[in-house]
Amino acid sequence: EAYRSIYYNKFGALQSFWFPTKHTINTKTKSKDYKSTVIDATKTTGPTYSLYKHNKKRFQVEANQSIQLNTALLNECLNDPIEQLLTSEQVWLEDASLEVSPVILTSSQLKRKTGVNDKAQIQYTLDFDFAFDHIQNIR
């Protein structure tokens, strides 16, 4: 499944760059937990203890996703658009279903590759965080 990045280039115009090869999506969660009582006290049966109730419970669960994208093998003339993507303040990703999502480019460093130094094997890997929670909890 290919992804298309959409970003503002150095001229302030929207530009696209395709990532047609391997991609990896990661989900990261954080939450708080607390201990609750699992003893049921009723007047008829007295206190009972259940092994099937959770003594430790989670709450305020937040999930965020990130994606790692790889370029195809490139010509070194495409180094400039990659660097402009790296410096863009607003970036979106479009997937194969044409759904566009805002993302934050978390890769902050790029070693410029050339055909001479890298034997024509110019390929980049960039990391993005989706700019919204995986499960929406807008407050």
Side-chain angles (χ1 to χ4, degrees):
E1 174 178 334
Y3 281 85
R4 178 172 75 126
S5 65
I6 305 161
Y7 61 96
Y8 285 105
N9 65 16
K10 66 182 177 183
F11 302 110
L14 287 174
Q15 184 169 338
S16 296
F17 196 91
W18 286 91
F19 293 88
T21 58
K22 179 186 171 193
H23 69 277
T24 306
I25 296 177
N26 297 308
T27 303
K28 177 175 43 175
T29 63
K30 65 180 180 179
S31 65
K32 296 181 180 179
D33 60 342
Y34 68 95
K35 286 193 171 190
S36 66
T37 182
V38 291
I39 297 176
D40 288 330
T42 62
K43 290 183 180 180
T44 57
T45 61
T48 59
Y49 177 78
S50 174
L51 295 175
Y52 304 106
K53 289 188 176 180
H54 292 77
N55 187 341
K56 194 173 186 181
K57 294 185 179 184
R58 293 174 72 190
F59 70 103
Q60 292 183 349
V61 180
E62 297 176 11
N64 298 96
Q65 287 190 321
S66 60
I67 186 167
Q68 185 177 67
L69 299 175
N70 295 288
T71 66
L73 292 176
L74 305 174
N75 187 310
E76 65 184 89
C77 68
L78 292 172
N79 281 337
D80 195 43
I82 289 284
E83 289 172 353
Q84 290 178 39
L85 172 60
L86 198 69
T87 60
S88 182
E89 292 181 359
Q90 291 182 301
V91 181
W92 299 267
L93 288 180
E94 180 182 59
D95 62 15
S97 66
L98 303 179
E99 182 177 332
V100 177
S101 301
V103 293
I104 298 169
L105 180 61
T106 56
S107 297
S108 60
Q109 186 174 329
L110 184 73
K111 179 181 175 184
R112 183 182 271 251
K113 297 182 180 182
T114 63
V116 172
N117 293 341
D118 299 295
K119 297 178 181 50
Q121 297 295 316
I122 300 174
Q123 187 175 27
Y124 294 105
T125 300
L126 296 176
D127 296 312
F128 301 86
D129 283 345
F130 287 96
F132 51 87
D133 292 334
H134 182 54
I135 297 176
Q136 294 295 326
N137 58 352
I138 298 173
R139 297 177 188 177

